[in-house]
Every structure is written in structure tokens, then in C-alpha cells.
Amino acid sequence: MNRLIDSHCHLDRVDLGPYDQDFAALIRACSESGIARMLCVGIDLDSYPAMRDLVDPYPEIDVAVGVHPNESGGEEPSLERLLALAADPRVVAIGETGLDYYRLGDGDASVQQRRFRIQIAAARACGKPLIIHTRAARADTLRLLREEGAAAVGGVLHCFTEDWETARAGLDLGLYLSFSGILTFKKAEPLREVARRVPLDRLLIETDAPYLAPVPHRGRSNTPLYLGYVAGCLAELRGLEVERLAEVTADNYRCLFRR
Ligand SMILES: [Zn+2]
């Protein structure tokens, strides 16, 4: 059986309906279907303690703490607070953070930028890599990563959907690129073209569950159990056996997150 690692999911938001609201049953199902490890990613500081408690009994689940660019109204991230939370040995990364101008509306990009800079500084101070979300903001994302010296800790451009030029710039900063179920979408041919070119030693896979379910479950609630569809698609693009892709992406995960 393949031993896949889901490098980005939100387990506290996955639909537990099929498991009678039993989180342990979901995790058991993941393990039985070959998901060896998962990285459960925080999106705000208010929901973080409950998420951290939820995954506590499962050593195969790593954690990231951070504030998503589109979250608003909750606790603002400060360097002190992030460092206190990141001192937890189960925390392997800072994120998800980044910039998202797609849903900015009339909002002020400077708020997102300030938060992003603080989180990059926190990652540098604790020596843990970044989980970076970028949407409709590629130039500013790369600029802030450079200005704040993110290359010192590295990280991943998660749920990568940008063009090759952006991929190249990310790779030059030492970043990994993580591909999600979007890779399986019918219209994603340009993205599949990018995925064919990324060096094997910089590839990660993720579900971003409960979002972005891959084909043939597109539009429904996503779960780490669907990671196999992402792995299968990427393996085919790379001309690799799924077993080999599982190995490569697991090695990359351990290398980036020091697991
Ligand atoms: Zn996410």
C-alpha cells in the first residue's frame, strides 16, 4: 500500500458526518487507506487551541500555526504570540500565511502585508518553515518573501496554481511547491504543464481538505482520503509509479518539515 503524506489539510473542518461525528474514526480511516501522516494547518489564532487539542492524541498529525490572509476580526498575530505557540514540538511550520487579493474587495492590502511580514519574522525566529498561500498577489508575495529573508527558513507555496515564472521564482527562493486536487480539474492543463517541470525534490502533495476535492469528487466536501487522486494524477504527469511518487513526496516532506 502507498504511504502518502497530506502536506496541507484542515482536519478540524472536515465533515465527520460519514463517521458519526467521531474524529478518531476519520483518522483511523485515513490510516487504513494509506495516509501515513498529515499536516493540520491553522487559519486563525482563535480556533487554533481547539484544533491543537483535537489532533493531540495522534502523533501522525503535525501542526502549523498561523493566520490566513483572508481571516479578519480575530486575534491579530504578534511575534511574541506566534513564537509562544510555535515552541510546541508538534508545530512544524508557521502558516498558513501569505497574501490573497482575490477576495480583498475594498479591503486594504497593507493589513495582509503587515501580518505576512510578522509571520515570516516568526518563522525566522523559531527556525520553522512557512506555509504560504498566494492568490492574485504573486508579485507582492515574492517581494515580501525576499524583503523579509524567508529563504533562511524556506517553506512551501501551498495549493500551487500559478504559472511557471512564479514557480521558478519560488524555487529560486528555495521553496517547495505543493499540488492539490486542482491538478485534476479539466481546465487545469496549464497547471499540469507546470507540475511536469518542477524538480522532483521540490514536490509536495496535499488535499487542502475540506476544500478543493479532486475529480471525481469535485464540488463535494474533501477529505485526506482523496489524496490518492492527487498522487495518481501527479505520478502520471511525471511518468512515475505512484509508489515512487509517494516515496519522493514523503522524503520531501520530512526534509522540509524536519520530521
Ligand atoms: Zn488551507
Side-chain angles (χ1 to χ4, degrees), residues 8-10 41 43 68 96 133 158 206 208-209 211:
H8 190 116
C9 55
H10 305 280
V41 179
I43 61 156
H68 188 286
E96 62 185 283
H133 169 110
H158 111 86
E206 67 175 79
D208 204 12
Y211 315 109

Side-chain angles (χ1 to χ4, degrees), residues 3 36 57 118 120 128 141 145 158 174 205 211 215 245 258:
R3 302 296 289 166
I118 288 170
I120 299 169
K128 294 183 181 183
T141 300
L145 287 167
H158 111 86
I205 51 173
Y211 315 109
V215 171
L245 183 93
R258 293 146 209 157

Side-chain angles (χ1 to χ4, degrees), residues 157-247:
L157 292 171
H158 111 86
C159 192
F160 192 80
T161 53
E162 304 290 339
D163 59 8
W164 174 249
E165 196 190 339
T166 309
R168 185 70 264 167
L171 293 167
D172 289 344
L173 279 165
L175 301 175
Y176 289 70
L177 304 189
S178 178
F179 291 91
S180 69
I182 292 177
L183 204 57
T184 68
F185 293 0
K186 197 163 181 242
K187 287 186 179 154
E189 191 47 39
L191 183 63
R192 286 189 282 276
E193 201 43 59
V194 172
R196 285 188 187 98
R197 296 172 70 179
V198 177
L200 271 188
D201 62 358
R202 298 291 191 87
L203 280 175
L204 292 172
I205 51 173
E206 67 175 79
T207 58
D208 204 12
Y211 315 109
L212 300 171
V215 171
H217 300 286
R218 186 171 182 184
R220 275 174 270 167
S221 187
N222 198 3
T223 144
L225 290 164
Y226 296 161
L227 185 59
Y229 295 105
V230 181
C233 178
L234 189 54
E236 196 184 318
L237 292 172
R238 303 303 302 236
L240 295 173
E241 296 294 329
V242 179
E243 293 71 25
R244 179 71 189 128
L245 183 93
E247 245 173 54

Side-chain angles (χ1 to χ4, degrees), residues 30-177:
C30 289
S31 167
E32 283 163 4
S33 74
I35 308 298
R37 182 163 283 280
M38 294 172 268
L39 176 45
C40 184
V41 179
I43 61 156
D44 64 39
L45 295 177
D46 301 84
S47 65
Y48 179 79
M51 183 193 94
R52 177 66 184 81
D53 286 349
L54 183 69
V55 304
D56 193 64
Y58 310 98
E60 70 273 34
I61 302 175
D62 297 321
V63 179
V65 61
V67 179
H68 188 286
N70 292 125
E71 288 305 307
S72 60
E75 182 186 340
E76 281 299 314
S78 71
L79 190 60
E80 298 68 31
R81 180 90 162 109
L82 289 168
L83 289 180
L85 292 169
D88 175 353
R90 287 281 292 278
V91 170
V92 300
I94 299 294
E96 62 185 283
T97 179
L99 300 174
D100 190 327
Y101 297 166
Y102 183 77
R103 285 178 285 174
L104 191 59
D106 297 331
D108 183 357
S110 69
V111 175
Q112 288 192 14
Q113 292 179 12
R114 191 184 66 234
R115 285 173 167 184
F116 189 24
R117 287 186 196 276
I118 288 170
Q119 293 180 80
I120 299 169
R124 290 193 56 170
C126 69
K128 294 183 181 183
L130 288 155
I131 296 176
I132 303 149
H133 169 110
T134 182
R135 191 170 184 198
R138 62 178 85 145
D140 279 359
T141 300
L142 293 166
R143 179 172 62 83
L144 265 61
L145 287 167
R146 287 192 195 103
E147 286 177 5
E148 299 297 328
V153 283
V156 54
L157 292 171
H158 111 86
C159 192
F160 192 80
T161 53
E162 304 290 339
D163 59 8
W164 174 249
E165 196 190 339
T166 309
R168 185 70 264 167
L171 293 167
D172 289 344
L173 279 165
L175 301 175
Y176 289 70
L177 304 189

